[in-house]
């Protein structure tokens, strides 16, 4: 079975920082990867799909890249509302989420 | 506006049953690939089940044989029947839409309903 490993699991950053989160797949998954943001007590929100396509309405400071087994989510200039937990996801008949990366204020 | 609203959560004893519902507006449940995703307290997201537009169903290994996903086309509602519940089934349950057969993401999520399995 394919595994998705996110790193780091936790990061501390300041407003204005550039933040990069990595998601590694145990096998190649082409570009079939999505990224979600989740704030406490709220549902996940789709940010990026197909590895690099920005979901409508998501700020352009968010970007995704990668294919095959290594993917990254980058937040160009961290804003106060970006402190949250981020998940990667591979979707097929048996969808799988990464373990999550919690981004906290330094 | 597309909206998914879950209901049916609550407190249930181990071994008990619950049926969750996800009422959709702005979309037709039978035209989409509808998922249930859950989140145990303080933990990450776990996919539970999907119901395809053509009626095919898939389940996570952890719930196969205990949970059943279904829909009521006339009422535009997605269901999750959960039987033989254990404490490990405690969490928030979300319904979420995968918009097309060739899409690889879930673009619309409900706010979730909380299930607590405890004696």
């Amino acid at each position: 079975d394919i595994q998705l490993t996110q790193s780091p699991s936790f990061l501390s950053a300041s407003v204005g920082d550039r933040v990069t989160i990595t998601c590694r797949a145990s096998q190649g998954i082409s570009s079939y990867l999505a990224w979600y943001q989740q704030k406490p007590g709220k549902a996940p929100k789709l940010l990026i799909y197909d590895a690099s396509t920005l979901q409508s309405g998501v700020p352009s400071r968010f970007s995704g890249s990668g294919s095959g087994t290594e993917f990254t989510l980058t937040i160009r200039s961290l804003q106060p509302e970006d402190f949250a937990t981020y998940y990667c996801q591979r979707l097929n008949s048996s969808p799988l989420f990464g373990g999550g990366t919690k981004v906290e204020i330094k | 506006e597309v909206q998914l609203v879950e209901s049916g959560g609550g407190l249930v004893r181990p071994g008990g049953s619950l049926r969750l519902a996800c009422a959709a507006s702005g979309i037709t449940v039978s035209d989409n690939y509808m998922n249930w995703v859950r989140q145990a307290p303080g933990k990450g997201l776990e996919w539970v089940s999907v119901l395809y537009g053509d009626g095919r169903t898939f389940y996570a290994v952890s719930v196969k044989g205990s949970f059943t996903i279904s829909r009521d086309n006339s009422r535009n509602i997605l269901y999750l029947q959960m039987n033989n519940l254990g404490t490990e089934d405690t969490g928030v349950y979300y319904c979420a839409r995968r918009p097309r057969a060739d899409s690889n993401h879930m673009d619309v999520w409900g706010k979730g309903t909380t299930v607590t399995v405890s004696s």
Side-chain angles (χ1 to χ4, degrees):
Chain A
D1 288 352
I2 293 179
Q3 307 293 322
L4 294 179
T5 303
Q6 279 184 243
S7 61
S9 54
F10 173 88
L11 74 86
S12 182
S14 301
V15 172
D17 283 353
R18 179 185 180 93
V19 167
T20 298
I21 298 169
T22 298
C23 180
R24 288 186 174 87
S26 58
Q27 302 175 37
I29 57 171
S30 186
S31 297
Y32 303 139
L33 192 92
W35 290 96
Y36 300 84
Q37 177 194 67
Q38 187 180 32
K39 296 181 179 179
K42 300 294 186 182
K45 173 188 173 183
L46 177 66
L47 299 175
I48 302 279
Y49 61 94
D50 291 344
S52 60
T53 302
L54 195 67
Q55 171 70 350
S56 176
V58 173
S60 60
R61 63 181 179 273
F62 290 93
S63 64
S65 65
S67 67
T69 61
E70 186 150 335
F71 302 85
T72 58
L73 172 70
T74 299
I75 309 172
R76 189 178 66 241
S77 176
L78 202 64
Q79 297 301 300
E81 60 268 29
D82 300 337
F83 292 94
T85 300
Y86 294 85
Y87 294 93
C88 59
Q89 180 207 39
R90 180 214 63 170
L91 191 71
N92 60 358
S93 62
S94 183
L96 179 65
F97 290 91
T101 296
K102 187 173 185 179
V103 178
E104 288 201 342
I105 300 173
K106 192 178 227 178
Chain B
E1 181 192 5
V2 177
Q3 195 172 14
L4 300 173
V5 179
E6 302 92 338
S7 61
L11 174 64
V12 62
R13 297 194 185 280
S17 298
L18 273 180
R19 188 177 79 159
L20 306 183
C22 171
S25 56
I27 64 167
T28 301
V29 166
S30 59
D31 289 343
N32 289 273
Y33 291 61
M34 299 300 298
N35 294 265
W36 287 100
V37 176
R38 69 183 179 183
Q39 187 169 36
K43 302 296 184 183
L45 300 168
E46 180 190 16
W47 173 78
V48 172
S49 182
V50 62
L51 174 56
Y52 285 5
D54 64 8
R56 284 181 292 162
T57 59
F58 295 90
Y59 299 92
V61 170
S62 57
V63 306
K64 198 167 187 179
S66 298
F67 290 11
T68 302
I69 192 171
S70 64
R71 66 190 179 218
D72 183 329
N73 293 344
S74 64
R75 300 179 66 193
N76 207 28
I77 296 176
L78 178 74
Y79 295 105
L80 186 69
Q81 176 68 42
M82 305 187 297
N83 297 330
N84 193 28
L85 285 160
T87 56
E88 67 277 9
D89 297 314
T90 292
V92 179
Y93 284 71
Y94 300 98
C95 64
R97 176 187 83 158
R98 171 183 172 182
R100 298 177 305 277
D102 63 348
S103 58
N104 292 283
H105 55 278
M106 300 179 191
D107 64 342
V108 180
W109 294 67
K111 293 183 177 181
T113 187
T114 299
V115 172
T116 304
V117 184
S118 175
S119 55

